[in-house]
Amino acid sequence: MTEDAPWLVVGLGNPGREYAGNRHNVGFMVADLLASRVGGKFGRPKRAVAEVAEGRLGFGGPKLILAKPLTFMNLSGAPVVALAQFFKVPVDNIVAVHDELDVPYGQVRVKRGGGEGGHNGLRSMSKSLGTKEYARVRFGIGRPPGRQDPADYVLSDFAGAERKELEFLVDRGADVVEAVVLEGVEWAQNKYHGS
């Protein structure tokens, strides 16, 4: 992390009311909660292809720029790069929050760098940024049941049983993002990967 530089936290998802409850949009859900925690309101700055909210983590804490790209998931990279350049955010201070098929539902994991695991939002970010070395907060959605196509699964809403826990898990996702910003990826891994 780069001292004094702002942080760009990107919630990945698809714009539009019809996608709001989808598993693929959990990044937007976490970004919305973080905005309410820091007293930020989402709006669309001129020329930005994203909704953006700004605030500080705690009194005098790091500045957070929260973003929800308004492109579809597979084109998320360009708006992220534009915001990073505009707000002068180094790659070390970029956090992507996204759904993760390879993590069981109910778990939130964090890492820096690595592959994209077939996630089109991450693939677009890595390509546009020219690096994979940004932090990822991976919100587990688990694998689809039976033979359901993963593409259909991520674009479907959380099941009834999952929704009972969803608010708690989105809250945990926001906690993990704050831990990454305030303490670093390794500290967040030590704190949250055991639970």
Side-chain angles (χ1 to χ4, degrees):
M1 60 189 141
T2 305
E3 294 299 319
D4 300 330
W7 284 78
L8 176 58
V9 177
V10 182
L12 291 176
N14 285 312
R17 203 172 307 154
E18 67 272 33
Y19 299 105
N22 289 181
R23 291 178 175 91
H24 223 20
N25 271 42
V26 77
F28 279 14
M29 296 173 199
V30 172
D32 285 338
L33 179 58
L34 283 165
S36 70
R37 284 186 182 184
V38 300
K41 288 214 182 312
F42 277 101
R44 187 170 176 186
K46 238 192 235 165
R47 294 195 304 274
V49 190
E51 288 189 1
V52 176
E54 296 178 54
R56 286 199 178 272
L57 264 187
F59 181 73
K63 181 176 181 178
L64 281 192
I65 294 108
L66 303 162
K68 298 189 293 185
L70 291 171
T71 55
F72 281 89
M73 180 72 83
N74 57 353
L75 299 172
S76 301
V80 171
V81 168
L83 289 169
Q85 289 172 345
F86 180 79
F87 288 103
K88 297 180 175 43
V89 179
V91 169
D92 284 355
N93 287 26
I94 296 175
V95 182
V97 185
H98 63 92
D99 58 306
E100 177 62 70
L101 287 163
D102 293 326
V103 172
Y105 184 73
Q107 295 181 15
V108 180
R109 297 282 177 260
V110 60
K111 71 176 186 174
R112 181 174 296 282
E116 289 98 9
H119 195 290
N120 290 330
L122 294 177
R123 187 177 293 137
S124 177
M125 277 185 63
S126 298
K127 187 175 178 201
S128 295
L129 289 166
T131 181
K132 298 179 180 186
E133 292 305 308
Y134 50 90
R136 298 102 183 271
V137 171
R138 305 158 70 213
F139 191 104
I141 61 168
R143 285 264 159 207
R147 296 177 179 215
Q148 186 179 7
D149 179 5
D152 292 337
Y153 178 70
V154 299
L155 291 175
S156 62
D157 287 358
F158 286 97
E162 293 172 325
R163 279 198 295 271
K164 288 189 178 89
E165 284 184 276
L166 186 58
E167 195 176 322
F168 165 77
L169 294 171
V170 168
D171 198 60
R172 169 168 278 196
D175 289 347
V176 173
V177 171
E178 289 187 7
V180 169
V181 171
L182 294 171
E183 307 291 347
V185 167
E186 205 172 305
W187 190 94
Q189 287 171 333
N190 291 335
K191 179 164 173 63
Y192 290 100
H193 283 203
S195 53

